[in-house]
């Protein structure tokens, strides 16, 4: 039952620290989401995306697997708090409320 799947992932298309909650959607270029779509044969699962931004001057793999600057780390730490709250709301069946609050 894919309605019980909740995925938290990074998103290079969102500014560092921004979060976006979606009920379903395509995997886009995200290999982790592509893998989940492939394993479940469905795009219908909740995802909480955490923005990590993108540095186009370096290889994408090295960027995603690299560290954050001090400024970005503050934003990411704040996002982790928001994501924790959003996940708890979603688990409690309040996805619409979480989307309204955090999107």
């Amino acid at each position: 039952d894919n309605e019980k799947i909740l995925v938290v992932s990074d998103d290079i298309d969102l500014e560092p620290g921004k979060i976006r909650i979606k009920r379903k959607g395509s995997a886009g270029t995200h290999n982790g989401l592509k893998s989940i779509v492939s394993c479940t044969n469905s795009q219908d699962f909740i995802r909480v995306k955490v923005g990590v931004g993108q540095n186009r001057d370096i290889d994408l793999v090295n960027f995603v697997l690299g560290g954050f600057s001090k400024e970005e780390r503050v934003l990411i730490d704040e996002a982790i708090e928001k994501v924790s709250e959003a996940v708890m709301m979603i688990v409690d069946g309040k996805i619409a409320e979480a989307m309204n609050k955090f999107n």
Side-chain angles (χ1 to χ4, degrees), residues 7-11 14 20 30 32-33 47-52:
V7 175
V8 178
S9 68
D10 60 350
D11 190 323
L14 291 175
R20 186 79 63 237
H30 196 288
L33 292 177
R47 63 249 5 239
V48 180
K49 299 177 176 188
V50 181
V52 294

Side-chain angles (χ1 to χ4, degrees), residues 51-66:
V52 294
Q54 182 177 4
N55 183 338
R56 298 189 192 277
D57 295 332
I58 63 173
D59 176 67
L60 182 60
V61 172
N62 289 331
F63 173 72
V64 170
L65 297 177

Side-chain angles (χ1 to χ4, degrees), residues 6-8 19 21 46-48 79-99 101-102:
L6 177 110
V7 175
V8 178
I19 69 170
I21 302 167
I46 300 167
R47 63 249 5 239
V48 180
I80 290 169
E81 292 295 322
K82 291 177 187 175
V83 168
S84 298
E85 184 180 347
V87 167
M88 293 304 296
M89 291 175 76
I90 293 166
V91 168
D92 284 341
K94 300 175 183 173
I95 186 169
E97 290 177 41
M99 292 173 76
K101 183 170 184 174
F102 296 105

